[in-house]
Amino acid sequence: MKPVKIGILGLGTVGCGSVNVLTRNAAEIARRAGRQIEISMAAVRNLERPRICGTEGVRLTTDPFEVANDPDIEIILELMGGTELAREVVVQAISQGKHVVTANKALIATHGNELFALAQENGVMVAFEAAVAGGIPIIKAIREGLAANQIQWLAGIINGTGNFILTEMRDKGRAFGDVLKEAQELGYAEADPTFDVEGIDAAHKLTILASIAFGIPLQFDKAMTEGITKITAEDVSYAEELGYRIKHLGVARKTDAGVELRVHPTLIPERQLIANVDGVMNAVLVMGDAVGPTLYYGAGAGDEPTASAVVADTVDVVRALTSDPENRVPHLAFQPDALEDLPILPIDQVETAYYLRMAVEDKSGVLAEITRILGEQEISIEAFVQKDVTEEWTQVPIVLLTHKTKEGRMNRAISAIEALDCVYGSVMRIRMETLD
Ligand code: NDP
Ligand code: HSE
């Protein structure tokens, strides 16, 4: 059989990683796919830039549309990132009857509903395993492996850069900026690294996971997102004293009132396996009603781990080239006409427990004031720790752990506490999850 010709948009970290894996493992991959895969053309921005992969025999262009329009190419690997140009080229490729494999979570989370509908009309596939959790086959696991289950919730460390930063800060006391720079040099970070540290990248991925877990349309604009930039070394060490680790977690939960969709730093009991996932590794914990909890772990970023997912998707597409489009696994796991319109809960309706840290005046009655305010909002305290006096002798840091409460109540309590004369500055709030 003739080789399948593919075109690649982008030969950066993921694009070159994919070329290297496709080349090195060509024979093994062909045995799996049933056909040889030939990289016919690739688009880059700068033809002169040195690459970490060979490009012999590959026609290079600076025009991605040239790849999308080439009549010999059957599959496009979109590995350049961004949402606007990427969307236009992918739309063009689909309209030309080409299948698309992408690692671009921003593209899928923001334009996926439109792209999947167009792909269905044109009888082609848009595969996106590499868009979530790098090399972990989490899309396949949820979409196919857990298809028998009602998924109740999932929680994941789904940004490698953020986890790498938190781990290096905790284990080696390194400065935030230094570790971020190293993550960029290692090719882990997004083109705009605020996507990593402010939780936008994780929210893109969580949006995708929630859709395939619950059978709802992609709704990135409704995800609540908080980054890791405000976490201090003190918080990390106080959390550890209390038996917790701080991880940047994406949580999606189906409740009677709607779906929770939130990304934020989270205290997790250190006994949980996911609390011990360090460095660039990612992990996703999925709770199904039949199977119970399942945990998926692996490298969340980097050239070849991500290429592992890109190439696996490419193999899937090659295998499905001759299959009936109606009988393929649906893009969002559920049949397109069976997606549910469940509301995404506003964050003030979400219930979690909290870690609160504040600096207070070192005098009697302060704690009584704070507990009174929490009591007014029906928030009960699980633990209280008063830390040693800081250099400024009048200020004492205190840390409180609360039981679960609605975020709206906690917001009101925090505003009232911050208004007290005996409380200095703002209250640091970190949400807690037991993940039981
Ligand atoms: P890079 O910046 O390393 O590579 C981007 C590539 O796209 C470069 O080769 C660049 O060309 C090319 N490119 C960009 N714009 C254009 C354009 N207008 N025309 C032609 N070529 C263009 O990014 P990554 O490989 O890190 O990321 C690619 C995608 O994969 C993103 O969507 C990212 O979110 C996703 N991803 C990344 C992971 C990672 O670990 N890095 C993991 C999982 C997903 P040139 O080299 O000439 O500048
Ligand atoms: N910037 C992303 C991360 C790449 O660090 O997780 C993988 O999606």
Side-chain angles (χ1 to χ4, degrees):
M1 227 188 227
K2 277 203 317 195
V4 180
K5 287 192 193 305
I6 66 168
I8 304 186
L9 309 177
L11 289 179
T13 304
V14 182
C16 265
S18 302
V19 171
N20 287 334
V21 171
L22 280 165
T23 309
R24 190 176 68 238
N25 297 342
E28 199 88 344
I29 290 166
R31 284 173 58 212
R32 289 194 166 106
R35 284 171 76 179
Q36 301 278 349
I37 296 172
E38 182 185 314
I39 307 165
S40 164
M41 203 193 303
V44 293
R45 224 172 352 205
N46 177 355
L47 292 169
E48 307 307 318
R49 194 189 298 284
R51 309 270 156 210
I52 57 162
C53 56
T55 54
E56 304 76 37
V58 179
R59 199 146 45 96
L60 292 183
T61 174
T62 53
D63 179 8
F65 289 96
E66 204 185 325
V67 185
N69 289 329
D70 187 299
D72 292 334
I73 291 175
E74 289 183 78
I75 307 169
I76 298 287
L77 274 47
E78 186 284 298
L79 308 173
M80 61 183 186
T83 45
E84 296 320 312
L85 178 63
R87 178 190 155 277
E88 283 173 36
V89 186
V90 166
V91 165
Q92 178 66 10
I94 294 172
S95 311
Q96 299 284 313
K98 298 185 197 313
H99 303 269
V100 174
V101 172
T102 182
N104 190 338
K105 47 274 165 143
L107 177 73
I108 296 299
T110 54
H111 298 299
N113 296 323
E114 171 206 355
L115 296 177
F116 297 149
L118 189 66
Q120 210 197 346
E121 266 172 43
N122 286 274
V124 298
M125 297 163 71
V126 175
F128 52 94
E129 182 65 73
V132 182
I136 308 175
I138 187 67
I139 302 289
K140 207 177 221 349
I142 299 178
R143 198 163 57 179
E144 298 174 47
L146 298 181
N149 289 262
Q150 290 186 43
I151 309 288
Q152 294 161 335
W153 56 264
L154 58 86
I157 296 171
I158 44 180
N159 182 268
T161 302
N163 202 39
F164 181 64
I165 293 172
L166 286 178
T167 305
E168 292 286 305
M169 283 173 69
R170 191 195 78 214
D171 291 356
K172 302 182 188 153
R174 292 179 62 193
F176 187 99
D178 281 357
V179 193
L180 174 58
K181 190 161 168 283
E182 189 184 344
Q184 289 177 290
E185 285 161 7
L186 290 166
Y188 301 157
E190 294 304 299
D192 176 355
T194 57
F195 275 42
D196 296 290
V197 298
E198 294 299 355
I200 301 161
D201 177 74
H204 286 143
K205 294 165 177 167
L206 184 70
T207 300
I208 297 170
L209 289 178
S211 286
I212 60 169
F214 307 133
I216 55 174
L218 295 151
Q219 299 166 76
F220 167 69
D221 54 333
K222 298 196 183 132
M224 177 267 172
T225 306
E226 187 179 298
I228 56 171
T229 47
K230 291 191 192 129
I231 300 292
T232 65
E234 283 170 303
D235 293 316
V236 173
S237 105
Y238 293 163
E240 297 216 346
E241 275 178 48
L242 292 159
Y244 293 84
R245 294 270 167 84
I246 300 179
K247 291 291 177 191
H248 199 203
L249 216 62
V251 180
R253 189 188 309 269
K254 196 171 174 185
T255 72
D256 291 341
V259 172
E260 295 178 13
L261 200 55
R262 51 193 168 96
V263 170
H264 47 71
T266 312
L267 263 74
I268 309 171
E270 65 189 1
R271 67 183 152 75
Q272 286 284 0
L273 281 176
I274 199 168
N276 297 285
V277 170
D278 288 333
V280 74
M281 305 310 274
N282 280 190
V284 184
L285 182 56
V286 185
M287 181 65 81
D289 69 332
V291 71
T294 52
L295 179 66
Y296 308 85
Y297 170 83
D303 56 353
E304 294 213 358
T306 311
S308 168
V310 170
V311 174
D313 268 352
T314 310
V315 169
D316 259 2
V317 174
V318 173
R319 285 175 177 151
L321 281 175
T322 51
S323 72
D324 170 8
E326 296 302 314
N327 291 323
R328 292 183 187 138
V329 178
H331 290 105
L332 289 178
F334 292 70
Q335 297 300 333
D337 59 1
L339 294 182
E340 277 185 326
D341 194 16
L342 294 177
I344 306 293
L345 285 179
I347 188 65
D348 63 353
Q349 295 299 312
V350 167
E351 268 201 354
T352 58
Y354 290 86
Y355 159 104
L356 302 177
R357 173 178 56 78
M358 60 200 88
V360 301
E361 199 176 339
D362 189 15
K363 67 172 192 186
S364 61
V366 171
L367 192 62
E369 282 290 279
I370 292 167
T371 51
R372 177 186 58 77
I373 291 171
L374 291 171
E376 281 168 7
Q377 294 300 330
E378 296 173 26
I379 299 170
S380 66
I381 296 173
E382 186 196 314
F384 163 77
V385 183
Q386 179 166 330
K387 305 307 297 180
D388 293 338
V389 176
T390 59
E391 329 77 74
E392 284 187 64
W393 64 274
T394 52
Q395 287 188 31
V396 188
I398 62 171
V399 174
L400 295 169
L401 302 186
T402 76
H403 288 288
K404 274 190 176 181
T405 186
K406 286 226 166 90
E407 179 110 356
R409 288 183 182 278
M410 183 51 81
N411 289 342
R412 287 193 287 278
I414 288 177
S415 299
I417 291 171
E418 286 176 344
L420 292 173
D421 288 340
C422 55
V423 173
Y424 298 96
S426 49
V427 173
M428 177 66 177
R429 158 242 310 264
I430 308 179
R431 297 165 189 86
M432 302 203 316
E433 291 289 338
T434 54
L435 303 179
D436 289 326

